[in-house]
Amino acid sequence: MQQCWRARTLLLLASVLSALSTSLQSFENSGIVRTIDLGGSLVHVTTTYAVRALDDKADTYSIAVAKEELVKTSWIEIKVKGQPKPLTVSYGGGLENGAHLLNIALPKPLAANGTVNIVVETVQTHATRPWPERAAQDESQSLKYEYQLFVLSPYKTVVQRTKLKSTNPSIISYTTPENVQDFTLENPVAKSGATVTYGPYRNIPESFTVDFTSKYQQTIAINYAYDFPVIEVTKLTRGVEISHWAANLNVQDEVVLHNAGPELKGHFSRLQHQTQAYFSRAVAHVLSSFTLHLPAGIRNAYYHDLIGNVSTSHLRTAPSPRKLGSQATQSQYSVLELKPRYPLMGGWNYTYTLGWDSPLEDSAKYDVTSGRHTVEVPVMTEIPGAVIEDAEVKIILPEGAIDVEYAVPYPAVSSEVTTHITYLDTVGRPAIVFKYQNLTNRHVKSIYVSYKVPLSAHLRKPAAVATVLLGLFGFSLIVRRIDLTIHKKRA
Ligand SMILES: *[C@@H]1O[C@H](CO)[C@@H](O)[C@H](O)[C@H]1NC(C)=O
Ligand SMILES: *[C@@H]1O[C@H](CO)[C@@H](O)[C@H](O)[C@H]1NC(C)=O
Ligand SMILES: *[C@@H]1O[C@H](CO)[C@@H](O)[C@H](O)[C@H]1NC(C)=O
Ligand SMILES: *[C@@H]1O[C@H](CO)[C@@H](O)[C@H](O)[C@H]1NC(C)=O
């Protein structure tokens, strides 16, 4: 299972464990390089620590995360550079300056002077805002991002730098740091193309102390042009229904989209929009369409909004993985180009429903020895570049399912087991509801649900259907008898 920390969990823990619970081992950072990919709703940050052990048997390396960063962090994963397996991370306590320590278990202890490169990857959400806050329909879009100049660490650092990478070389402004002459005699910041680099800063002492942060830490702001719409899903409600009876998995998403780009200044002109689109000069802060990757083998896809069916979208379905060889199927998906009914301007919302069926056998397995069914249910479908602020995933199991177990890819904000009752159900179906917040592209993973369906439950549905049919049949018999009687009398 993926090693994952959510900001809220950490803050929660912080209130319980306020003191440092471990004594720190001795390391030195030969170098720290942080790369920030300036995005819209999502900002990806990769920090690489080149670490040297100062003592033998060093097996726990600690990093410090500033509180300003922690509240924005929705995903964190820590690995040894070049290795696929995430490292085990435990909470190391809150610090006086509001930062938090995370303890990382190294795969094997280092001897003195032993080195390792540790890569910390995070995804930040709600980290940018439109700046200026309003833009006319034909104006470009720019965003503001803020971060803390120094990467905090409990160890001395030989050299440290931060690169901010934009997709557009048009960087409107960026802060020049103050009071950094202790660490560099050169220009403290440099811009080259679409990248702004802070540092190199040399010989930085242990930076996790209040002394250091109060003297040197500072907020850096950067204002950059951004060429893509800033999309937030304010609410995703995913309903997943498992039916053994119909051998079907139905997935339905209700999505509330919000364009978090600059608010539209003045009125929206469809003519201007169409002219811009015609000359391929569609502006960055207008969302006209986006592409979704849906599973292979889906059928009966539907897409409607509050007004009705939306017919302007294109779906190209890939064949069901079962129908192909088992190789080359992983990368297969159906492609939906989804067009909202109207172009979505900054500050506007759009609500739609998207659903599809797929063969249950594509995502379910039955284990004969344990008698358990296991079904894989994706938490979400990625909307490129978007954050999902609030998600609710409801998985409805077959009627009579018992011994329900589940495994989540990362902890949910909440989960509960309820009962869902529909037509032709006699006892209702067990349902599990998961709630999540601030989902990103790194959260595109699956929940596994496992359960047993006793034979009696398998028979219950046919029995319910049979009762209805028998009722109808019995009724028609009576009708015919009456009918016959009438005929008889006439005859
Ligand atoms: C999600 O982000 C919002 C806004 O930044 C924040 O208030 C909320 O606590 C976050 N939720 C979780 C579970 O991290
Ligand atoms: C570690 O490296 C330093 C300098 O390169 C050297 O002086 C020291 O002896 C080394 N320590 C060990 C235990 O090898
Ligand atoms: C919407 O489309 C579905 C199938 O594509 C169809 O069954 C339904 O009647 C349509 N509804 C309206 C209001 O057009
Ligand atoms: C969009 O939805 C948000 C709440 O999710 C609301 O505050 C805002 O006013 C809505 N915008 C419009 C233009 O309706």
Side-chain angles (χ1 to χ4, degrees), residues 301-302 308-309:
Y302 51 93
N309 285 344

Side-chain angles (χ1 to χ4, degrees), residues 4-324:
C4 168
W5 284 84
R6 312 220 77 229
R8 223 181 64 140
T9 320
L10 282 178
L11 291 173
L12 210 71
L13 280 169
S15 57
V16 184
L17 299 158
S18 54
L20 281 186
S21 55
T22 48
S23 56
L24 294 161
Q25 295 181 343
S26 295
F27 291 94
E28 179 189 76
N29 300 311
S30 327
I32 300 179
V33 177
R34 175 172 48 177
T35 305
I36 301 175
D37 286 308
L38 296 168
S41 285
L42 307 179
V43 173
H44 294 258
V45 182
T46 307
T47 312
T48 304
Y49 299 79
V51 172
R52 185 167 72 95
L54 300 181
D55 284 335
D56 277 329
K57 300 201 189 95
D59 61 359
T60 307
Y61 176 80
S62 301
I63 60 167
V65 186
K67 65 171 185 296
E68 293 84 354
E69 273 159 47
L70 197 58
V71 292
K72 294 186 282 196
T73 300
S74 293
W75 170 267
I76 177 166
E77 191 173 73
I78 303 178
K79 293 177 176 173
V80 170
K81 190 172 185 177
Q83 291 189 7
K85 198 170 167 281
L87 299 174
T88 307
V89 180
S90 58
Y91 183 66
L95 300 169
E96 237 180 298
N97 58 13
H100 296 266
L101 278 184
L102 299 183
N103 296 332
I104 302 163
L106 299 179
K108 55 175 195 283
L110 294 177
N113 282 353
T115 61
V116 65
N117 286 335
I118 292 175
V119 182
V120 178
E121 241 190 291
T122 65
V123 184
Q124 299 180 344
T125 57
H126 302 102
T128 69
R129 64 198 147 104
W131 197 263
E133 289 168 316
R134 289 153 62 77
Q137 199 173 332
D138 58 353
E139 283 174 341
S140 62
Q141 163 180 265
S142 54
L143 306 179
K144 189 178 197 171
Y145 174 78
E146 289 180 345
Y147 82 101
Q148 302 299 304
L149 178 63
F150 288 101
V151 176
L152 304 183
S153 173
Y155 317 111
K156 287 194 173 80
T157 300
V158 178
V159 59
Q160 144 170 171
R161 57 163 71 82
T162 300
K163 289 182 197 163
L164 295 129
K165 287 191 177 165
S166 174
T167 49
N168 186 326
S170 161
I171 291 173
I172 298 141
S173 69
Y174 50 92
T175 312
T176 300
E178 287 166 0
N179 192 24
V180 288
Q181 62 280 9
D182 289 353
F183 312 116
T184 181
L185 297 173
E186 295 153 44
N187 207 342
V189 54
K191 174 181 181 294
S192 163
T195 303
V196 176
T197 305
Y198 284 83
Y201 304 133
R202 296 177 199 281
N203 301 322
I204 301 167
E206 291 87 345
S207 54
F208 74 147
T209 61
V210 177
D211 275 357
F212 181 90
T213 49
S214 57
K215 188 160 176 207
Y216 298 111
Q217 189 62 298
Q218 51 200 289
T219 302
I220 300 294
I222 180 164
N223 189 197
Y224 56 101
Y226 188 65
D227 298 328
F228 311 95
V230 183
I231 299 304
E232 294 175 352
V233 173
T234 23
K235 180 100 182 113
L236 162 71
T237 312
R238 167 164 281 196
V240 179
E241 207 169 324
I242 302 168
S243 168
H244 287 285
W245 175 242
N248 190 52
L249 185 78
N250 172 264
V251 177
Q252 175 170 306
D253 286 347
E254 275 169 47
V255 178
V256 184
L257 280 184
H258 174 67
N259 184 339
E263 270 182 40
L264 180 64
K265 204 156 60 182
H267 288 288
F268 169 65
S269 153
R270 187 170 278 275
L271 179 65
Q272 191 181 8
H273 175 73
Q274 278 163 354
T275 314
Q276 281 165 343
Y278 183 81
F279 291 107
S280 302
R281 278 192 281 110
V283 268
H285 53 95
V286 182
L287 178 70
S288 305
S289 71
F290 52 95
T291 302
L292 298 179
H293 289 173
L294 304 180
I298 60 170
R299 54 194 181 209
N300 309 331
Y302 51 93
Y303 162 44
H304 59 83
D305 61 14
L306 300 173
I307 300 172
N309 285 344
V310 192
S311 57
T312 50
S313 293
H314 299 285
L315 175 67
R316 191 159 43 79
T317 42
S320 166
R322 293 290 155 132
K323 299 208 176 88
L324 298 163

Side-chain angles (χ1 to χ4, degrees), residues 482-491:
I482 294 166
D483 216 31
L484 285 175
T485 332
I486 297 166
H487 273 276
K488 247 186 202 162
K489 275 193 178 167
R490 278 201 182 156

Side-chain angles (χ1 to χ4, degrees), residues 426 460-473:
T426 50
R460 206 175 281 141
K461 185 112 187 187
V465 176
T467 313
V468 172
L469 286 179
L470 259 177
L472 290 173
F473 189 57

